Amino acid sequence: MSKNLPVPSPQGGNAVVSAAQLAEWQADAGQGAEEIRPQDIAVPFIGHVQALSKQLAENDPKYLPDAKIGTLFNTVTGEIFSAKDGIHVVPAELRRIVVEKQPKERGGKIVATYNTRAEAQENAESGNELLDGFRVFLLYQTVGGGWSPAIMSFGTKSKIYTMKHWNALLTGLRVPGPNGTPIQPPIFAWTYRITSAQQEFDDGTAAVLKVSPVGPTRDDVYQ
């Protein structure tokens, strides 16, 4: 009798296939995808659901049935992570960005992201606000327990506040080196948990991200 084996599912978690089927997949590995280039692949972002997010609108293609305000989600796979439990991440690299945001009376939406302020000032629509933020390239722990690459953008005022707190954790960590002298480890030496909570602001309530340290990154993930 052919043995059934669990394999990671694109929707998160695991699916079950037979050993015979898995052997066929191995023999045919990569076939059919020869014409797909890196620039043809959607980049997975970790998003954060707010009250007006499309993930809550049933008639929107981006709708996620189980999403709630504060939910974190993968924009490609649709994996979701509850606001309370959050998501485990290992930051790999931080890059500065400039976010173009409409004024609140025109919707308050983020309309573009730029690599430099000069680029933003040259291309942004008059009257829009420019915010300095960060883009974090990271690994996150999937629903199935593995680790996968993704990006998180921190460009709104609340997220920039969160990022400044995270930056303090990243740059403030010191551990004894092999000779006892304190060293600052690379940012990917530590795993963090990102959760979400409701917070009141002058212009309303929003789901705000919170970052807390978990512990040293597992060696296989670190490598």
Side-chain angles (χ1 to χ4, degrees):
M1 181 178 293
S2 179
K3 183 179 179 182
N4 290 330
L5 301 169
V7 296
S9 167
Q11 293 80 21
N14 290 319
V16 177
V17 300
S18 68
Q21 187 175 16
L22 198 59
E24 290 180 351
W25 290 2
Q26 183 177 18
D28 299 332
Q31 290 188 27
E34 292 85 357
E35 293 297 315
I36 299 177
R37 304 164 298 174
Q39 59 265 41
D40 300 325
I41 299 172
V43 177
F45 279 76
I46 301 299
H48 184 216
V49 176
Q50 298 286 356
L52 300 179
S53 294
K54 294 180 178 180
Q55 286 70 32
L56 300 179
E58 292 189 25
N59 60 344
D60 194 282
K62 295 182 179 180
Y63 174 63
L64 295 174
D66 296 322
K68 301 176 182 178
I69 295 175
T71 294
L72 292 138
F73 64 96
N74 184 309
T75 58
V76 172
T77 67
E79 291 174 279
I80 64 171
F81 306 85
S82 73
K84 181 180 179 180
D85 295 335
I87 184 173
H88 285 83
V89 303
V90 176
E93 181 183 356
L94 277 66
R95 295 183 189 173
R96 291 185 175 276
I97 58 172
V98 178
V99 172
E100 179 186 354
K101 185 174 179 289
Q102 293 176 334
K104 185 179 178 182
E105 58 271 18
R106 283 170 40 204
K109 294 181 179 179
I110 292 176
V111 294
T113 301
Y114 304 96
N115 293 320
T116 65
R117 181 159 281 269
E119 180 187 3
Q121 291 171 337
E122 180 180 351
N123 293 283
E125 183 179 341
S126 177
N128 285 350
E129 185 178 10
L130 296 179
L131 298 171
D132 292 308
F134 286 89
R135 180 163 284 171
V136 183
F137 297 78
L138 51 80
L139 294 177
Y140 77 97
Q141 191 168 31
T142 67
V143 173
W147 291 83
S148 186
I151 298 173
M152 287 190 75
S153 286
F154 292 78
T156 63
K157 290 180 178 178
S158 65
K159 286 186 178 180
I160 292 169
Y161 174 84
T162 299
M163 194 68 233
K164 287 182 176 180
H165 172 76
W166 196 2
N167 285 342
L169 294 175
L170 294 172
T171 59
L173 181 63
R174 297 291 185 275
V175 300
N179 62 358
T181 302
I183 61 172
Q184 179 182 341
I187 64 171
F188 43 86
W190 220 258
T191 300
Y192 297 85
R193 184 166 74 109
I194 301 179
T195 56
S196 179
Q198 300 288 316
Q199 185 170 330
E200 294 286 341
F201 294 92
D202 293 338
D203 54 355
T205 303
V208 176
L209 296 175
K210 179 182 178 181
V211 180
S212 55
V214 174
T217 301
R218 247 173 41 195
D219 187 61
D220 59 329
V221 180
Y222 181 94
Q223 296 303 329

